[in-house]
Structures are given as C-alpha cells and as structure tokens.
Amino acid sequence: MLILDKLPIVPNQKSLLTIKTLIIIFMKTAILFIAFLFISVFKIVGQSPNYPFPHHTVYNGNHIKPTNYTPAELDNQTKSFYDEWKGAYLKNDCGNTSEYYVFSGNGAKNVSEAQGYGMMIAVYFAGYDNNAKIYFDGLYQFYKKHRSGINNKLMDWQQLTCTDKASADDDAASDGDIDIAFSLLLAHEQWGSGGAINYLAEAKIFINAIMKDEINQNTWTVKLGDWTNASDTKYFYGTRPSDFITDHFKSFTLLDNNWNNVTETCYSLIEKIQLDYSTTPGLIPDFIIDANTTPKPAGANYLEAVTDGSYSYNSCRVPLRITTDYLINGEIKAKAAVNKLNTWLFSAVKGDVSTISNGYELNGKALYNWNDATFIGPFAVGAMLDVTNQPWLNSLYKELVTNNDLAKGNYYSNTLKLLSMIVISGNYWVPVNHTLNVNGEKLSNENFKIYPNSTAGIFYIDFSHTVKEASFRLTDINGKVLQDNIPLQNHNTINISSHEAGIYLISIITNNTIITKKIVKE
C-alpha cells in the first residue's frame, strides 16, 4: 500500500507534491469509475426481485403436492425444464437483440398467447435467472411493436414474420392479452415500477383496454378477441373457457369492480355446461356459444377445428387456469368444477395415467389413444385440490417429468408443462401488494395510521378522510383473504390473535384507491 502522507520532502518537492496530487486524483477517479461500473451492471441485470425463485407460496390449506419427490427436487426439475424451454423458445433474432419473443412455430414466429406465457414465466424465474428482467422488458418491447389494428393497446394475435402487423387478421385474442396484463402486475410486484418501464401504469392501460374491447359487457363474458362486436351474431356471444383466468380477474378488480361480474359469469357458465352437457365427466368444451340465451357447446369447426365442441386443445387448460384460483384464493367454485372432472378421469382410466387421451367428447369418449404434457400437466395441477388424490397426483406428475421431455412436445405442450410445474412446485403467486390508483379523490399515507407494526394479537387503524365509503381487507402474505369489505371507522380495533405468526397485509380501500401495508403477527 502506498502511504501518500509519508512521501519524503526533498529538493524536488514541488514535483513530488504534483505526483502526490495526481495519484490522489487517479485513485478517486478509479473509485468513481468502479462505482459507476457497479451501478451500470446493476441496472443492466435489474433490481433485486422481491419474490426470487424458488418462492414457496403457502397455498390454500386443503391441497396436496407430489410426495414422490422432495420439495427441492420439484424446484430443481422446474428450473431444469425452464432452462431447456428458454433455450428452445425465447428468441431475439428480429433485428433488435433487446427485443424478445416466444417462438410459437406452426407457420408463425409468435402468437400473443405465447408472449403472455413468456412474460409470466420471466417474472416467476427472477432470482434464479439473473437476466429475467431483461427478458421481460424485451418481451414487453416486442409486444409494443406488434399491436392490434382494432385496439392498439392490445397485441396482434399472430406474427408471421418479424415485421409489424404481419398476421392476416391484425387483431387481438383475449387469452394472450389477459396474461400480458397480469404479467405487468407481476412485474410491478417483483421489481417495482420505477425503472425504464412503468409496469403498473402499463398494466392499468392494458386492463382497461381488455375491459373495453375483449369483455362483452352485455353478458360479462370474455370475448374471443377485440374483433367481435354486436353486429357479429355468430361470435359476439361466444366465449372460450380456457380464457376464464379467474385469479387474474381477481387482481384486475383493484382497478374495476366489474371484473367480479366477469368472474361470476365464468363460473356460472362452467357449472351450467357441466350440469347440462357433461353431467358425469364434468368436461368443458373448447368453445361455448349463445352465452346471452342458453349457453351450449359450439358445433364442429365453429372457429378452429372439428373438436370445437369437445374437451380439446383449448379447454385442456381449464384445470390449470381455475385451479390456481382455489390454491391462491380458496375459490370453492373452482374446486367443485375441477374435482368433478378429476374424479371422473381417475375412474375412466382406472388410475392408469398412460391411458389418458389428448381430448374427449363431452360424454367422456376418448378422442385419441395417446397423450402428452398438453393434457397431463393441467390434469396434474387439478389433482392438487383433494387430499384423497395423492397416489393419482404422484402418478400424473411422474408421467409429466419422466415421459414428456422437450423433444417430445412442441411450444404449446412444453409451455403448458412448464406453467404446470411452476404451480405444482409451489412457485405460483399473484400480485397482492401493489397500490392501484384510478381517477378521483385519492387516499394518501397521511390519511391513516396502522399500529403497532408488530403485534401478538391486537392492532389498530386510525382513519381520517372525507370519503363516504372506505373499508379494509386483511390477507396473508400470499393473498388469501381472511377478512374483507370491513367498514372503516375513525378508530378500528382488529384482533388477529387466532392467526398464525407471520406477515399479513392490510389494504385500505375506497372507490378510487387501494393502499396496502404490511404488519407482523408475532
């Protein structure tokens, strides 16, 4: 180490002092450069995630996970398959290497459904993959370059090439847009919205656009896309049950209470179809028509294939899409619908996973004599909902991870496998701690006080504001609602002594604002 203060004073003192000064300047400059380099690298890699993978969500109490593998093995299998999936399908070869898309194949570069899946997957693997934020932002930028020609806040459903607006239809499909909007909320929760992309602001724009042009507000059904309208008698009252992504909708209610109507309609349609058209199997068709009068399965070739009225390559996602609503929110309608299907399936194949078909008529007749991860993955997720299913779940999951390697599937099959593995390993979560403000009079932190921050039993909320209606919601750290819609007074006493120790969330809610705070139960 060079000790500058002990440099000798000799006849050439001025020169030595000049050298001393230069060395000091050099060292300071080096320190600043290193600091700048560190900050730059930090910005490139992205902020530290709030929910790094693995993030073991505490799902609803009455569920199971595979017991033939340890939790660590479930995590490692999921990480390993993610690495394979990413290598096969995450692409940035469209001229701008900072833009990413999920390669869907089948004659196209990308479909919006794939983009939505990819954006969710990127958020969930943050922490394991240090480039997750780079991938997410690149996927978002690719969406921005490929907008629907009808509502340009939504994504063009298909990109045949890298150029803009290359699809024949140049319009949007609801499922991809719903996942993209949800992924933006996830990104806000994971990294915050203070960077180059304001995820929360973009999520609000996206969710409002979906409500405007992809929700039929006559029936509160999910439309097939922004391309259907009231003059389109064939499709305006049609809907696709694989778009019934009810846990996403419950996050969207923080912006618009009408999403509650959409959720209720989704479960009503499932219940009616199971009761009227698939009483014992509980199977759901790819498409439902006449949602405004007497809902029923679509006929052959309604939109995509001869199997449009069967449990086929769209509706195979239903167990995956609604099971998460039970695992996260305890939604009993989801559990009832999935358990009905799962109970029938186990009986129909006599517990032999190898005889499951990749598709069924609604009466339970198998369409094929083979299966792959497209159907096995969601069936395995559905089996998580009943403790009596343990051997069945173990068999389904083993089949999923041992007999369905990447080479045996395509983009769709392998992506549903990965999404299923995220849920099964306990790493699925929803945004619960964001503040979503809309136009109007808003609360601020000065309007209320929650104390103490840590308590063994009692905490208090002091509230002062001119709004006429205000309430609070108590959830656990994973979003499970424990108390909801409790009117807020000037002084409120809340008893949580009966709950387990851990972190809980208090949301103060008005028509225009939600502000969420954490408290700790000792």
Side-chain angles (χ1 to χ4, degrees), residues 275-292:
L275 181 64
D276 293 349
Y277 294 94
S278 191
T279 306
T280 299
L283 294 159
I284 306 298
D286 274 6
F287 297 94
I288 296 172
I289 61 172
D290 297 338
N292 60 324

Side-chain angles (χ1 to χ4, degrees), residues 419-483:
L419 290 168
S420 298
M421 293 175 73
I422 291 170
V423 178
I424 294 166
S425 63
N427 289 292
Y428 185 84
W429 51 272
V430 302
V432 297
N433 195 28
H434 46 275
T435 303
L436 302 181
N437 294 326
V438 294
N439 294 330
E441 190 176 13
K442 300 178 177 66
L443 297 182
S444 69
N445 289 323
E446 287 71 36
N447 296 128
F448 63 92
K449 180 181 179 182
I450 301 176
Y451 60 96
N453 292 329
S454 178
T455 176
I458 304 295
F459 69 92
Y460 305 94
I461 305 175
D462 289 345
F463 180 71
S464 61
H465 200 279
T466 58
V467 295
K468 294 181 179 180
E469 295 182 4
S471 63
F472 76 86
R473 175 189 301 143
L474 173 68
T475 69
D476 66 17
I477 190 62
N478 300 302
K480 180 181 178 182
V481 177
L482 305 174
Q483 298 182 41

Side-chain angles (χ1 to χ4, degrees), residues 30-58:
I31 291 169
L32 289 173
F33 176 77
I34 291 170
F36 172 78
L37 185 63
F38 175 81
I39 292 170
S40 298
V41 171
F42 178 79
K43 286 183 178 180
I44 291 171
V45 173
Q47 297 97 313
S48 297
N50 292 315
Y51 301 89
F53 187 98
H55 174 74
H56 291 148
T57 303
V58 181

Side-chain angles (χ1 to χ4, degrees), residues 281 339-353 355-356 360 379 383 388-393 395-396:
N339 274 352
K340 184 172 187 177
L341 190 162
N342 184 69
T343 299
W344 165 80
L345 179 67
F346 178 80
S347 175
V349 301
K350 298 179 174 59
D352 183 356
V353 173
T355 63
I356 291 175
Y360 293 91
F379 279 147
T388 65
N389 291 335
Q390 193 66 67
W392 178 231
L393 172 59
S395 296
L396 285 164

Side-chain angles (χ1 to χ4, degrees), residues 219 221 237-239 241 244 265-266 268-277 285 287-298 362:
T219 55
T221 49
Y237 292 106
T239 189
F244 296 0
T265 298
C266 290
S268 294
L269 287 170
I270 289 173
E271 182 180 18
K272 183 165 182 59
I273 291 294
Q274 286 186 324
L275 181 64
D276 293 349
Y277 294 94
F287 297 94
I288 296 172
I289 61 172
D290 297 338
N292 60 324
T293 53
T294 306
K296 55 181 173 287
L362 296 193

Side-chain angles (χ1 to χ4, degrees), residues 316-325 378 381-382 416 419-420 423:
C316 66
R317 295 173 286 183
V318 170
L320 170 63
R321 290 308 207 174
I322 67 173
T323 291
T324 54
D325 196 10
V381 172
L416 291 184
L419 290 168
S420 298
V423 178

Side-chain angles (χ1 to χ4, degrees), residues 6 27 30 35 44 92 107 128 138 144 150 154 160 163 169-170 191 194 237 252 315 328 353 364 410 443 472 503 520:
K6 295 186 178 181
M27 292 180 70
I44 291 171
N92 64 340
Y128 168 67
K144 295 283 279 189
I150 297 174
L154 305 173
L160 297 177
T163 59
D169 303 316
D170 191 24
W191 298 296
Y237 292 106
F252 297 171
S315 56
I328 297 294
V353 173
N410 56 18
L443 297 182
F472 76 86
I503 297 174
V520 177

